[in-house]
Amino acid sequence: MQLNILALLLLLPLSGFGGERRFVTSERLLLGTESNRSASVRLADIDKDGDLDVIIANGRHWPGQNCLFLNHGRARFTEQRLLRTHRSTSYAAEPADLNGDGQVDIAVGNDTAPNQVLLNDGTGRFAENGTFGSVSSLRSLTLVDIDRDGDVDILVTCRGRANQICLNDGRGKFKHAGSFGTTRDSTIDVATTDWNGDGHVDLVLANRDSQPNAIVINDGKLGFDKTIPFGDKGQQTRAVVVADINGDAHADIVVGNIGQPNAVYLANGNGGFAQTLEFGRQDGRTYSLAVADMDNDGDQDLVVGNAGQRNAVYFNNGDGTKFSPVEFGAETHATYSVDVGDLDGDGFADIAVANSGAQNFVFLNRGLPQQRSIPAPQVAKPGTLARAAPSGASLDWPRFRGPGGKGVAPGFSLRSKWNVGEKADGILWSVPVPGLAHSSPVIKGDRLYLATAISTAGDAPLMVTRGGRPNAADDNGEQKWTILCYDRRTGEELWRKTARQGRPRATRHVKATHANTSVTIDGENLVAFFGSEGLYCYDLDGNLKWSRDLGVINISKYGIGWGYASSPAIHDDRIVIVCDDPEKPFVAALKLSNGEEIWRTDRKDICERSWGTPFIHASESRTQAVVNGWPWIVSYDGEDGSELWRIKGGGDNPVPTPFEANGWIYITNAHGAESPIFAVRPDATGDVSPPTESGSNKSVVWSVRRGGSYMSTPVVYGDYLYLGNTNGVLRCFNAKTGEKIYEKRLGSGASIYASLVAADGKIFCASENGSVYVVKSGPRFELLEKNQMQDPLYATPAISGGVLYLRTTKHLIAVDDDVVGREHGKTHSHVSPQSR
């Protein structure tokens, strides 16, 4: 078949479910030649330029040359590099940070030849770092932290021989540490999941040669003696993936078969299966699988690579019981591997395929997007930036998530779309921020305040990727814990004060910083709490009033300090702080005027760890401090610290901050067994944990056991509760009844750590991938805009006077409303006034 005819065939749109998506390719999206016997394709940002590159393993049973294709933006693969100079019988080239230096390395698996570890020097060039495993009939590699020590290990499948476990020493060196399955297994592929919920990584094996597939249970000591077979003994399974297909929060299993239909095994959450569904052809020849939300509708779709049959995307109807296929590729190709990711930056996941004996292709995900209505610009008179607040609105954003900690700014219009690139649009000003911190901006009058930690050794490391290994960052050198003050109108730095300089007294997580907390302002007092590094009170001109050393507060998990993140809360002359070091957790109240301790309440046996900010709720009858936690969420009397009420929590990493709306207190957490949401009456007393069946009682208005958020604090706006999650999913509930309204994925690569804020009929979702997603409020999901900010966002935005203030990992940026260039006739600038 001639290339031009093939390209024309592949460009034809195909009808189907999935929002009329189609998958197109062209001659510029070819990767490799017809002579390549490609066995694996993987996507990763190898050169750290912000887009996904392509890694292809070639050879199989014959020595081939493995290759790297660098993406120079918008799926332009204009540079090909060889992964070392020698040829190997490669079946797999899997990317991951193998030595903990923040670079994407590659593990190469070969058939009956030594396997190789290739370390990235940071520019996308690789050096050998030894071998792993014993030479065997390798068919695939799975990279996972199997022993939960914070680094990536390697699982090796060996068809007809014992499968191998290779443990990482943390520096990219691997030792053989056992096996899984039996020596008779013909294992082709492995997926991983915690199948029985005991905290250990279990394995799902895809077996060929008339052997049943199996789930093998990890006993916590890398023993895999317990086996749960599933599927037909006569199956010839070549691929397996694990994902939540039907949205019930249980990990389901999908297998790709040869000579039979493929199958979805829907888990029942108790170690078994509720339902088994078939999809694909009766005489299917599936060699590879991938799972992703290909149409951005919030559920997981299936991408299938076939041999001698066209490949297909099976679009999920939402509950995992029906799939509608859209085919792509040529019927004559043998697709050994597929991988998915947003290669052209349009927010939709694209597909890369590895074909044996044919060219490899990239297929771009295309559709007919709905036309969006953008409001006409509002024109204002020059010089009106510091305009008065309308009735019910406030120019101040004095604490984490603004007035009352609600995350809502009424009364001003806010821009939906802006551009921080060379052709700036909607940017009032942008200034670089020293150091590394997730501290959010707060505003009082015409001043904006930030906290940061400045490493005297230079740039501090930060893991920027979805998920996060349980490890502490290598960032224990001297730091300066600093308060910064800016003119909110111009971005000019007015002053900076160093609260403490020295080595950190506790470690931090690789995705966290040494300055995660936000400062809090009350009257003329600015309070900053850096956990182990102390509590400080300044006036608004940066003059220190007093400071307190609370000792080392090492909030840890897996024996590793993950850092401090609870901002101080202020009411009248009291500061409430939460210090949930697992060894000596406590909550305390101190005087705002002088830092003197008023009361301290021990939280031992109440909370093992938490990172949320306390919420102070004041009524005529009492003032209470509500503190998220695990296993208990607890409210304390503001006068003496005695317990008022408690709820049995669900998520074992409680991060979100409680807040009030509709006269109720909303609380959520996630991670582990459950992800609950509670709406609690402020007059609750005693243990108010609701029964699972009804989810409510006289103190709990409503609750759900699944649907809460892990890192991000939700926002109630109008009649609805919105929650953002690290997997990029936005959930909407009726705030008054708890009814789920929708669950939609914001876009490929979205990952929400920052808390949500709302204004002007819009929900603003700042994402780790450097985008701010703007969603229209209301019961129907409508993504208004995706604004790329160039750097990751972890800090929660602030809103003041119609301006959205965003802190990225490197900059502080003011996004103006729809009025352009109206600050005394000046155009918007990307440099601060002091640096001109």
Side-chain angles (χ1 to χ4, degrees):
M1 183 181 293
Q2 297 298 314
L3 174 61
N4 58 346
I5 299 175
L6 175 61
L8 179 61
L9 171 64
L10 299 177
L11 280 165
L12 290 175
L14 293 152
S15 63
F17 190 72
E20 300 183 4
R21 306 308 300 175
R22 58 193 179 116
F23 300 91
V24 303
T25 191
S26 66
E27 193 165 339
R28 73 175 181 86
L29 296 173
L30 288 174
L31 306 176
T33 68
E34 290 187 2
S35 62
N36 291 146
R37 292 185 175 95
S38 299
S40 172
V41 60
R42 291 292 180 262
L43 307 181
D45 186 2
I46 295 295
D47 51 1
K48 284 200 164 182
D49 63 351
D51 46 44
L52 294 175
D53 309 304
V54 180
I55 308 159
I56 294 181
N58 291 314
R60 294 174 49 230
H61 306 298
W62 305 269
Q65 179 65 64
N66 299 324
C67 296
L68 169 65
F69 294 86
L70 293 180
N71 184 353
H72 290 292
R74 298 189 309 229
R76 294 177 298 175
F77 299 96
T78 53
E79 182 178 353
Q80 177 183 354
R81 294 182 185 172
L82 306 181
L83 288 180
R84 313 304 296 155
T85 56
H86 58 266
R87 295 170 176 264
S88 301
T89 51
S90 297
Y91 260 92
E94 294 288 339
D97 181 4
L98 300 177
N99 62 348
D101 65 351
Q103 309 297 331
V104 178
D105 310 308
I106 299 176
V108 178
N110 301 314
D111 177 43
T112 61
N115 307 312
Q116 300 137 1
V117 175
L118 304 181
L119 297 184
N120 189 347
D121 67 359
T123 67
R125 302 185 187 279
F126 295 84
E128 293 185 23
N129 193 48
T131 62
F132 62 91
S134 58
V135 173
S136 189
S137 53
L138 182 145
R139 289 299 180 267
S140 69
L141 300 177
T142 300
L143 274 53
V144 63
D145 184 5
I146 189 72
D147 56 359
R148 292 292 177 92
D149 66 348
D151 49 42
V152 177
D153 309 306
I154 303 176
L155 307 181
V156 183
T157 64
C158 306
R159 183 180 181 185
R161 301 184 187 180
N163 304 311
Q164 303 171 25
I165 301 172
C166 300
L167 295 183
N168 193 342
D169 67 356
R171 296 170 295 178
K173 296 287 188 179
F174 295 83
K175 66 176 181 179
H176 191 286
S179 61
F180 58 93
T182 72
T183 57
R184 301 182 303 276
D185 287 345
S186 287
T187 305
I188 300 294
D189 196 12
V190 174
T192 61
T193 184
D194 181 2
W195 184 255
N196 59 356
D198 64 354
H200 304 305
V201 178
D202 307 312
L203 310 179
V204 185
L205 310 187
N207 293 322
R208 288 190 64 181
D209 303 328
S210 298
Q211 296 177 342
N213 302 316
I215 303 164
V216 289
I217 302 300
N218 185 351
D219 64 5
K221 301 177 182 178
L222 300 186
F224 296 92
D225 295 330
K226 182 179 180 181
T227 300
I228 305 172
F230 69 94
D232 182 356
K233 183 177 180 180
Q235 278 180 280
Q236 295 279 348
T237 299
R238 186 131 192 174
V240 60
V241 292
V242 172
D244 181 6
I245 301 300
N246 59 354
D248 65 353
H250 300 311
D252 308 309
I253 299 173
V254 185
V255 299
N257 297 320
I258 300 173
Q260 293 178 296
N262 302 318
V264 177
Y265 298 87
L266 297 178
N268 62 14
N270 296 314
F273 299 104
Q275 191 176 4
T276 301
L277 306 166
E278 293 184 345
F279 69 99
R281 290 171 49 162
Q282 293 296 316
D283 62 343
R285 292 187 57 81
T286 294
Y287 277 30
S288 55
L289 291 170
V291 175
D293 184 359
M294 302 300 292
D295 51 1
N296 290 353
D297 67 348
D299 51 42
Q300 298 296 301
D301 308 308
L302 308 177
V303 182
V304 177
N306 296 317
Q309 300 166 356
R310 297 192 74 189
N311 303 323
V313 175
Y314 288 84
F315 286 96
N316 191 341
N317 72 342
D319 63 6
T321 63
K322 182 180 179 182
F323 298 88
S324 298
V326 171
E327 294 183 335
F328 66 96
E331 185 175 342
T332 56
H333 288 171
T335 299
Y336 269 68
S337 179
V338 295
D339 203 4
V340 295
D342 185 3
L343 292 166
D344 57 357
D346 68 347
F348 283 89
D350 308 303
I351 305 172
V353 302
N355 295 319
S356 183
Q359 293 100 340
N360 304 311
F361 288 90
V362 164
F363 293 86
L364 299 181
N365 188 345
R366 293 288 183 259
L368 300 175
Q370 295 180 351
Q371 295 296 318
R372 299 182 179 126
S373 176
I374 301 175
Q378 298 177 1
V379 180
K381 296 179 180 180
T384 59
L385 177 61
R387 51 199 183 278
S391 176
S394 173
L395 292 174
D396 291 342
W397 191 269
R399 52 157 293 177
F400 173 62
R401 300 187 76 237
K406 296 175 181 287
V408 177
F412 291 102
S413 64
L414 281 179
R415 181 180 287 269
S416 298
K417 182 178 181 180
W418 59 88
N419 182 15
V420 296
E422 291 298 322
K423 297 180 180 179
D425 179 26
I427 304 302
L428 186 64
W429 49 260
S430 174
V431 296
V433 176
L436 178 67
H438 296 337
S439 172
S440 302
V442 303
I443 295 166
K444 176 70 173 178
D446 289 334
R447 292 185 175 186
L448 182 149
Y449 302 87
L450 279 180
T452 191
I454 304 172
S455 171
T456 58
D459 290 343
L462 182 69
M463 174 182 278
V464 181
T465 180
R466 185 177 290 181
R469 53 186 184 161
N471 205 356
D474 183 16
D475 184 25
N476 299 313
E478 186 178 70
Q479 311 275 335
K480 292 181 179 180
W481 285 268
T482 304
I483 311 297
L484 301 164
C485 176
Y486 298 87
D487 188 318
R488 76 167 182 89
R489 301 165 300 178
T490 65
E492 178 184 3
E493 184 180 317
L494 301 178
W495 55 260
R496 68 171 67 183
K497 297 292 181 178
T498 298
R500 179 179 179 268
Q501 182 169 347
R503 295 177 65 87
R505 300 169 72 185
T507 58
R508 66 170 174 87
H509 190 272
V510 289
K511 293 178 74 68
T513 73
H514 285 300
N516 301 312
T517 61
S518 302
V519 303
T520 304
I521 295 174
D522 184 85
E524 295 301 312
N525 299 287
L526 181 151
V527 178
F529 189 29
F530 297 107
S532 301
E533 317 309 329
L535 176 68
Y536 303 87
C537 181
Y538 294 85
D539 66 23
L540 300 188
D541 291 321
N543 299 305
L544 181 64
K545 291 185 171 183
W546 55 262
S547 64
R548 281 286 310 272
D549 184 350
L550 277 297
V552 175
I553 305 166
N554 186 26
I555 302 182
S556 64
K557 188 176 181 182
Y558 307 126
I560 299 166
W562 278 14
Y564 187 83
S566 178
S567 302
I570 300 175
H571 178 71
D572 292 337
D573 189 40
R574 298 197 176 191
I575 306 169
V576 178
I577 57 173
V578 177
C579 304
D580 278 338
D581 183 320
E583 296 298 320
K584 48 183 185 302
F586 67 90
V587 58
L590 302 90
K591 287 186 178 180
L592 175 60
S593 54
N594 58 17
E596 177 185 337
E597 189 169 301
I598 301 171
W599 55 257
R600 178 185 295 213
T601 301
D602 183 20
R603 278 165 60 81
K604 197 71 174 176
D605 300 325
I606 298 289
C607 184
E608 294 188 11
R609 55 189 168 267
S610 74
W611 291 268
T613 294
F615 167 62
I616 300 178
H617 182 276
S619 66
E620 292 183 1
S621 59
R622 66 185 186 184
T623 298
Q624 58 185 308
V626 184
V627 183
N628 206 345
W630 183 82
W632 292 98
I633 300 162
V634 180
S635 170
Y636 298 92
D637 190 300
E639 288 300 315
D640 58 14
S642 59
E643 182 179 311
L644 295 175
W645 54 264
R646 63 166 63 185
I647 290 179
K648 192 69 177 289
D652 63 9
N653 281 358
V655 179
T657 294
F659 64 97
E660 183 272 331
N662 298 319
W664 306 327
I665 300 171
Y666 290 83
I667 314 166
T668 185
N669 52 44
H671 193 273
E674 293 184 337
S675 53
I677 308 171
F678 302 100
V680 185
R681 299 185 191 277
D683 60 357
T685 302
D687 185 345
V688 298
S689 304
T692 302
E693 296 75 18
S694 65
S696 64
N697 53 35
K698 66 178 183 179
S699 295
V700 178
V701 183
W702 63 262
S703 70
V704 297
R705 305 310 302 183
R706 297 190 182 277
S709 53
Y710 177 23
M711 294 286 181
S712 173
T713 299
V715 64
V716 169
Y717 191 51
D719 293 331
Y720 301 100
L721 170 70
Y722 302 88
L723 306 98
N725 282 275
T726 55
N727 63 358
V729 170
L730 181 72
R731 295 189 181 99
C732 175
F733 290 79
N734 185 307
K736 296 182 179 179
T737 66
E739 176 192 2
K740 182 188 280 190
I741 305 301
Y742 67 71
E743 178 176 321
K744 297 293 184 180
R745 193 168 300 276
L746 290 167
S748 177
S751 188
I752 307 301
Y753 287 82
S755 297
L756 306 185
V757 295
D760 192 26
K762 308 175 183 85
I763 313 299
F764 295 86
C765 312
S767 170
E768 182 186 42
N769 68 354
S771 297
V772 178
Y773 298 86
V774 183
V775 177
K776 185 177 180 179
S777 63
R780 185 173 67 87
F781 177 79
E782 181 179 348
L783 181 63
L784 298 175
E785 294 293 343
K786 173 188 173 184
N787 299 287
Q788 190 64 34
M789 302 300 295
Q790 299 180 334
D791 299 310
L793 296 107
Y794 294 91
T796 298
I799 304 171
S800 175
V803 179
L804 181 69
Y805 295 90
L806 298 160
R807 182 192 190 152
T808 72
T809 53
K810 295 180 180 179
H811 291 86
L812 177 64
I813 300 168
V815 178
D816 203 356
D817 69 5
D818 288 320
V819 184
V820 179
R822 54 178 171 70
E823 188 199 0
H824 303 290
K826 292 190 293 185
T827 58
H828 297 162
S829 173
H830 284 270
V831 295
S832 67
Q834 63 184 7
S835 62
R836 285 178 181 165

